[in-house]
Amino acid sequence: MRWLRSLDISAEWLWLQHVLIIAAAILVALVVHAVAMRVAGHAARRTASQSDDLVLEHIRQPLRWVAIAIAVSFAMRLVPMSSEGRDIWRQVLGFGVPALLGWLAVAGLRALQGVVYLRADINVEDNLRARRKRTRAQILGRIGIFLIVFVTVCLMLLSVPGIRTIGVTLMASAGIAGLVVGAAAQPALKNLIAGVQMAFTEPIRLDDVVIIDNEWGRIEQIHLTFVVVRIWDERRLVVPVAKFLENSFQNWTRETSQLLGSVFWYLDPAADIPRLRTKMGELVEASPRWDRRFFNMQVTDVKPDSIEVRGLMTARDASVSFDLRCEIREGLLNYIRHEMPEALPRRRLEHSIPPRHGEGDQPQAGGGGVPQGTS
């Protein structure tokens, strides 16, 4: 910089010199970043996996600003500044560098989540392992982002000397403050700890079919403190995470998505069950929704006016099982209506016919209808 100082430049033009130095540093950083991203993108396109492209897409923007920050930091060493200006610049670096590094760490973590999502395809028939990986990636990713943001904010605050001094002064009252905050935030902390526990115990996973609060739905999102369940009629049920660990609920896809579905008919006791069993077998075997594992029909209960007939059939998942049950229920009802109407339930009444006049004993005149010959 001696050649710059040797030039006869008036004081009012020194700011232009500083701007040109910083602008040149930013330009160099942008060029280096663009070249590096182009080379990395070319290398990623030569691979068959999409993971490389996904990682580059997430970290491209944070890396650009990190490169600019590094270039400006080096350029500021060439700019003559007063001691006050140096202090201000250190404060800016103390806030900016941790923020940029935290942004880059969050972007890298999100890229890692995206790679897990790509490799764990839940659209296959047996997606239990894929759903397990996605669930862990989502929960642990949210925990990681929370920790990164927390550490970043702490580093930014520690760069201010006044805040460090105040923090040391308030250390004595940290215990009381912690008790007060802990008591006030007990439900939130409870759900937060439950979310961490859920990541490892896995009572639920993404896309699990559950019944909770008498609602049938699928796990759509798992957050640190709550879970979003997509109900079958497109409503959303928001459930605290702790509820899945403290209360009972039904998980239809805990180990496998295959289900055994049941259909009930209430028929006349005189119905021909073997004939209906044969017809149900024809309907089930003709359905593409049946997974070829098992089906049967049995009389499971007898009531005063009807019998309860239960049909069982298997399907590959809950949605297909529901459609298969409706199909078999409708098909057998149609068959009964047209081919076996006698199987429909009927109410039987016993009716006694009184004897006609002139048959049997004759009532005595004036006797009030009491038959003769009685004693």
Side-chain angles (χ1 to χ4, degrees):
M1 295 301 299
R2 294 180 179 177
W3 63 275
L4 284 174
R5 295 176 181 175
S6 62
L7 294 177
D8 187 14
I9 303 177
S10 59
E12 60 268 17
W13 292 101
L14 285 178
W15 66 270
L16 181 60
Q17 172 188 340
H18 299 165
V19 170
L20 290 176
I21 293 175
I22 295 174
I26 294 175
L27 181 61
V28 171
L30 291 176
V31 171
V32 172
H33 175 267
V35 172
M37 289 295 102
R38 183 177 294 273
V39 173
H42 180 70
R45 286 191 294 270
R46 297 182 62 180
T47 60
S49 175
Q50 298 180 356
S51 302
D52 305 334
D53 302 313
L54 184 63
V55 172
L56 287 177
E57 180 181 353
H58 279 83
I59 67 173
R60 184 187 305 273
Q61 192 74 5
L63 277 180
R64 178 184 293 116
W65 286 99
V66 169
I68 292 175
I70 294 175
V72 172
S73 178
F74 278 104
M76 292 302 292
R77 297 181 179 181
L78 305 178
V79 176
M81 288 188 298
S82 62
S83 60
E84 183 179 355
R86 293 288 181 185
D87 292 337
I88 296 176
W89 174 241
R90 291 192 187 96
Q91 292 297 324
V92 172
L93 287 180
F95 273 88
V97 172
L100 291 176
L101 293 180
W103 183 18
L104 181 60
V106 170
L109 188 57
R110 291 191 182 278
L112 183 60
Q113 283 184 288
V115 171
V116 174
Y117 287 173
L118 281 178
R119 296 182 179 179
D121 186 11
I122 62 174
N123 294 321
V124 297
E125 182 174 349
D126 187 8
N127 59 1
L128 178 61
R129 182 176 299 178
R131 289 188 292 108
R132 177 179 299 172
K133 291 181 179 180
R134 286 199 174 196
T135 302
R136 286 186 176 179
Q138 186 178 91
I139 297 178
L140 295 178
R142 293 184 186 278
I143 295 174
I145 292 175
F146 174 79
L147 293 177
I148 290 173
V149 172
F150 178 77
V151 173
T152 300
V153 173
C154 290
L155 292 176
M156 293 172 65
L157 294 179
L158 288 176
S159 64
V160 182
I163 294 180
R164 286 202 304 266
T165 306
I166 295 174
V168 174
T169 305
L170 294 177
M171 189 66 69
S173 59
I176 299 177
L179 291 176
V180 174
V181 173
Q186 183 179 1
L189 292 176
K190 178 181 177 181
N191 286 308
L192 181 62
I193 296 174
V196 177
Q197 183 179 354
M198 184 177 293
F200 297 97
T201 58
E202 295 184 347
I204 56 173
R205 306 181 187 93
L206 289 175
D207 205 43
D208 265 348
V209 177
V210 298
I211 295 181
I212 185 168
D213 292 340
N214 296 323
E215 296 284 1
W216 185 98
R218 291 181 179 272
I219 302 297
E220 185 176 45
Q221 297 176 7
I222 301 178
H223 297 268
L224 285 180
T225 57
F226 65 92
V227 176
V228 179
V229 182
R230 186 179 71 252
I231 308 302
W232 63 273
D233 57 0
E234 297 187 357
R235 290 178 294 146
R236 299 299 189 272
L237 182 66
V238 180
V239 185
V241 170
K243 191 169 185 177
F244 286 96
L245 299 177
E246 297 175 352
N247 301 332
S248 300
F249 65 96
Q250 296 184 36
N251 189 336
W252 288 13
T253 53
R254 180 67 178 87
E255 298 295 336
T256 178
S257 60
Q258 296 175 341
L259 286 179
L260 178 66
S262 60
V263 179
F264 290 91
W265 298 273
Y266 295 92
L267 306 175
D268 190 83
D272 189 353
I273 300 301
R275 186 177 168 191
L276 292 175
R277 184 180 291 116
T278 302
K279 182 59 180 178
M280 175 189 161
E282 295 175 359
L283 293 173
V284 172
E285 292 177 351
S287 175
R289 298 184 175 93
W290 183 50
D291 63 359
R292 312 293 168 184
R293 287 193 296 131
F294 173 78
F295 76 89
N296 78 342
M297 173 185 282
Q298 293 174 318
V299 178
T300 55
D301 196 7
V302 178
K303 300 182 183 301
D305 299 317
S306 63
I307 58 174
E308 182 184 80
V309 180
R310 183 186 68 182
L312 298 177
M313 59 216 72
T314 57
R316 66 176 182 267
D317 57 44
S319 299
V320 177
S321 176
F322 180 82
D323 293 336
L324 175 63
R325 291 161 55 200
C326 294
E327 177 186 351
I328 301 305
R329 183 186 295 113
E330 295 172 2
L332 198 63
L333 285 177
N334 184 66
Y335 173 77
I336 292 173
R337 183 169 59 252
H338 292 90
E339 303 294 337
M340 294 180 61
E342 67 276 9
L344 295 174
R346 291 170 289 183
R347 186 177 296 275
R348 293 171 173 81
L349 298 176
E350 183 179 355
H351 179 67
S352 60
I353 303 176
R356 297 180 180 179
H357 183 71
E359 297 181 359
D361 296 331
Q362 299 293 327
Q364 184 179 2
V370 179
Q372 296 287 338
T374 59
S375 59

